[in-house]
Amino acid sequence: KNFPWTAPTLKDILPKEFVNNNGEKVPYDSSKVYGIYFSASWCGPCKAFTPRLIETYKAVKEQNKNFEIVFCSRDRDQNSFDEYFKKMPWLAIDFADRQARDRKS
């Protein structure tokens, strides 16, 4: 019945809104190019990579405002997510939306 199966698009699996690091809701914008950043505060290599990604993100944003990174946390609790995410200049999938976070992994 569902053959041939087609993979869902990024738009199909992303939530309709994200959060910024001020806790404000930001709607999905179909005109933007999204990159998904899977990371966690407990991951040493991730924590080492995040500052480099921040530099690259800022440089890209200066050239192209239609690009956005979305943080998909693999942290184990809200506090860990909050502490790690507050250092990031991009958007995130709301930590409280476990179903949305799990769809991406």
Side-chain angles (χ1 to χ4, degrees):
K1 181 178 178 178
N2 292 326
F3 185 81
W5 180 80
T6 55
T9 65
L10 193 55
K11 182 181 177 184
D12 294 335
I13 62 173
L14 284 175
K16 297 202 182 323
E17 62 184 13
F18 309 105
V19 293
N20 63 23
N21 56 16
N22 293 324
E24 301 164 327
K25 301 287 185 181
V26 178
Y28 172 84
D29 181 346
S30 62
S31 71
K32 289 194 175 198
V33 174
Y34 287 95
I36 310 299
Y37 180 41
F38 293 90
S39 187
S41 62
W42 49 262
C43 174
C46 298
K47 287 178 81 168
F49 176 71
T50 299
R52 291 181 172 180
L53 184 57
I54 290 171
E55 288 177 23
T56 302
Y57 172 81
K58 289 178 179 178
V60 169
K61 288 293 279 186
E62 287 177 9
Q63 299 171 14
N64 180 357
K65 296 185 189 288
N66 282 334
F67 173 75
E68 192 59 65
I69 291 178
V70 176
F71 173 44
C72 184
S73 177
R74 303 319 291 161
D75 280 306
R76 296 179 180 110
D77 59 72
Q78 182 75 50
N79 187 54
S80 297
F81 167 82
D82 292 341
E83 286 298 309
Y84 192 36
F85 181 49
K86 73 180 180 183
K87 302 168 188 167
M88 301 176 187
W90 44 72
L91 303 175
I93 295 171
D94 192 342
F95 188 82
D97 190 351
R98 183 173 182 98
Q99 182 181 19
R101 288 185 298 117
D102 288 348
R103 274 196 312 264
K104 286 5 133 242
S105 55

